[in-house]
Structures are given as structure tokens and as C-alpha cells.
Amino acid sequence: MAKHPARSAMEASLRTIVVPELRSRGFKGSYPHFRRILENRIDLLTFQFYSSGGSFVVEIGTCGPEGTRFSGPGKAKVSEVPKRLRLGAEIPGSDHWFKFGLPNYEPGNEVVHSKSHYDTISTEVANFIEVQGEAFWSGAAQQGH
């Protein structure tokens, strides 16, 4: 099944704005899973789109330098660690979805917005990585993951 054009536009924006930001911060991996391998920990980030379309989450976590019990350092994923944060959430453990359109079951879901609409959301994600993400990862490092 082909991706909804709005999702394709959102992913293109994330790849243009957010992925280079992650690379500049030392993250490796391929969309949607990224990891930054440091001496004392691995910082993790993943994008997860709502199955019905129109929104996504950016979830982050961290693990020890050996990886998780499921995957080694080069394959560790956010879903494999117990302590995670959804970027944009007001408090740890709460939920936050980046909305870029309507779910597929709502009338009007076929609308594809301008590139600037998706770029604004991607810029917001990049800002959350800077502020919330780096604080979470460095705080986890101070707590021993």
C-alpha cells in the first residue's frame, strides 16, 4: 500500500531538516532509527507514525555502551529500553504527538499542505532535540542510564 502523500511530505521534511541535525550531533543509523554511540552510553531516537496517519511521535532513550539485551551497540532501538521520553511531552512518561494532518478516517485527510507546513513541524522537532533531548540524554548519563 502506498504511503499517504501527506506522510511522504512530512518524512521528506524530517529527512531534510531533522536528520542532518542528528548527524551534526553524532547520530548514526538510518531513518527511522538513530543512535549516538558514546564511551559511556548510547543515545537513541526513533520516529513512529500513527497507523491511521496524520501524526507521529519522536521517542528517545538511552542504554549502556554494550547495547540492550536484545541488540548490540550498533542496532539498539528505543523500543528496547525501559526509560523513554516522547519529545514535546510536558512531563516524562506523558504523551505528545506531532500533528501534520488528519487521520485517514477523517474527512479532509487527503489534504497535502505546503512544504513550509511540514518544515515548521520539522524545525519544532529539531528544537526539541536541542532542548529536551540533550537534557534527557545528559541526565541519563549522570544517573548511570
Side-chain angles (χ1 to χ4, degrees), residues 27-126:
F27 281 83
K28 296 188 182 334
S30 57
Y31 183 86
H33 302 288
F34 297 89
R35 60 200 60 77
R36 177 171 57 188
I37 300 174
L38 302 170
E39 186 177 310
N40 63 338
R41 70 179 194 272
I42 302 171
D43 297 334
L44 306 166
L45 180 144
T46 194
F47 298 92
Q48 298 171 354
F49 280 78
Y50 180 39
S51 60
S52 292
S55 60
F56 66 96
V57 297
V58 181
E59 200 161 43
I60 65 172
T62 190
C63 66
E66 68 285 346
T68 69
R69 69 179 252 206
F70 306 104
S71 303
K75 295 290 183 182
K77 294 184 179 105
V78 174
S79 61
E80 300 171 343
V81 298
K83 185 177 179 188
R84 302 188 283 251
L85 173 71
R86 288 197 168 169
L87 291 182
E90 303 260 329
I91 53 173
S94 65
D95 209 6
H96 179 79
W97 289 81
F98 293 93
K99 293 181 176 33
F100 62 89
L102 295 172
N104 298 338
Y105 52 81
E106 289 191 20
N109 75 73
E110 67 283 349
V111 172
V112 177
H113 298 284
S114 67
K115 181 180 179 305
S116 66
H117 170 77
Y118 303 105
D119 288 354
T120 297
I121 296 165
S122 291
T123 300
E124 182 182 14
V125 170

